[in-house]
Amino acid sequence: LAQKYDPQHERELRAWIESTTGRRIGDNFMDGLKDGVILCELINKLQPGSVPKVNEPVQNWHKQLENIGNFLRAITRYGVKPHDIFEANDLFENTNHTQVQSTLIALASQAKTKGNNVKLGVKYAEKQQRRFQPEKLREGRNIIGLQMGTNKFASQQGMTAYGTRRHLYDPKLGTDQPLDQATISLQMGTNKGASQVGTRGRG
């Protein structure tokens, strides 16, 4: 993870954060953000009132973590995606500075999308919402119905239930006896006129 940390991005983030907040971060970038004060001021500049109470000056580590937590919740409301947001310990315990950097770049991108003059990050595409008239929606449902087929005019007349005997004659003819046995005999062959004369027993 440390190999993915980009010093150039750090310089760009430093310039953006310092110019936005009017405060100097210090020689060590991450140490300067660790108490959460500058981070809270940053989101308050982007969206006033995001963090109503910033704990400053901070000596108690509980208050520092509270500042960081307030910042993370505020940028979530601002529009930064949850999967782009670092965890408090990533910054506070120096476990994942790369993720902290990625979160700040995502915040810069969100600020740029909202119209702020930010020189880093990317501007997200705005969501396009299409609105259709009710009659157009009804037409669409009709088209889908035709593509999937229809059961109009269909019935189960003439179908036999599963497991029932199927007669091989037409009941409309009015014959007294079904012809199915005779038909089946002819289909399967007949033994009429046959005998076992001339056959030898085995053994």
Side-chain angles (χ1 to χ4, degrees):
L1 290 173
Q3 293 177 351
K4 296 180 181 179
Y5 190 84
D6 191 333
Q8 176 62 31
H9 284 162
E10 179 185 300
R11 289 189 290 270
E12 294 172 349
L13 286 168
R14 176 189 292 273
W16 173 56
I17 294 172
E18 291 182 345
S19 64
T20 302
T21 61
R23 300 184 60 147
R24 190 171 182 277
I25 293 175
D27 294 336
N28 188 301
F29 183 71
M30 289 295 169
D31 283 348
L33 301 178
K34 189 175 292 187
D35 62 8
V37 174
I38 293 179
L39 293 176
C40 289
E41 290 192 359
L42 174 62
I43 188 60
N44 277 341
K45 290 289 185 180
L46 297 175
Q47 186 164 301
S50 294
V51 182
K53 182 183 177 182
V54 181
N55 298 308
E56 185 185 12
V58 180
Q59 301 297 330
N60 188 319
W61 65 272
H62 290 285
K63 297 296 185 181
Q64 294 176 357
L65 280 174
E66 184 179 328
N67 281 343
I68 296 173
N70 289 337
F71 166 75
L72 296 178
R73 283 187 290 273
I75 65 174
T76 302
R77 293 191 299 268
Y78 189 66
V80 179
K81 304 301 182 187
H83 63 266
D84 289 329
I85 296 178
F86 68 86
E87 295 182 3
N89 285 337
D90 292 338
L91 173 60
F92 191 76
E93 296 183 0
N94 302 314
T95 57
N96 193 347
H97 286 170
T98 303
Q99 186 59 44
V100 176
Q101 187 179 76
S102 297
T103 299
L104 294 174
I105 293 173
L107 176 60
S109 299
Q110 191 65 32
K112 178 180 289 188
T113 303
K114 291 179 179 290
N116 291 274
N117 185 18
V118 185
K119 294 182 180 180
L120 71 156
V122 296
K123 185 175 181 180
Y124 297 131
E126 295 181 0
K127 187 177 180 181
Q128 299 285 341
Q129 290 195 357
R130 298 182 179 180
R131 298 182 181 275
F132 295 99
Q133 297 298 326
E135 56 270 16
K136 292 292 183 182
L137 294 174
R138 284 193 292 271
E139 289 177 8
R141 284 196 292 268
N142 292 336
I143 293 172
I144 293 172
L146 291 173
Q147 289 174 340
M148 296 178 67
T150 177
N151 62 355
K152 290 182 179 179
F153 313 116
S155 72
Q156 294 182 326
Q157 184 176 356
M159 296 180 65
T160 56
Y162 181 76
T164 58
R165 183 177 180 180
R166 184 177 180 185
H167 296 292
L168 299 178
Y169 75 102
D170 189 350
K172 294 180 182 178
L173 297 177
T175 54
D176 293 334
Q177 295 293 331
L179 302 178
D180 55 342
Q181 292 299 325
T183 306
I184 291 171
S185 297
L186 291 173
Q187 288 174 340
M188 298 178 65
T190 177
N191 61 357
K192 290 181 179 180
S195 72
Q196 294 182 328
V197 176
T199 59
R200 296 180 179 179
R202 296 184 63 183

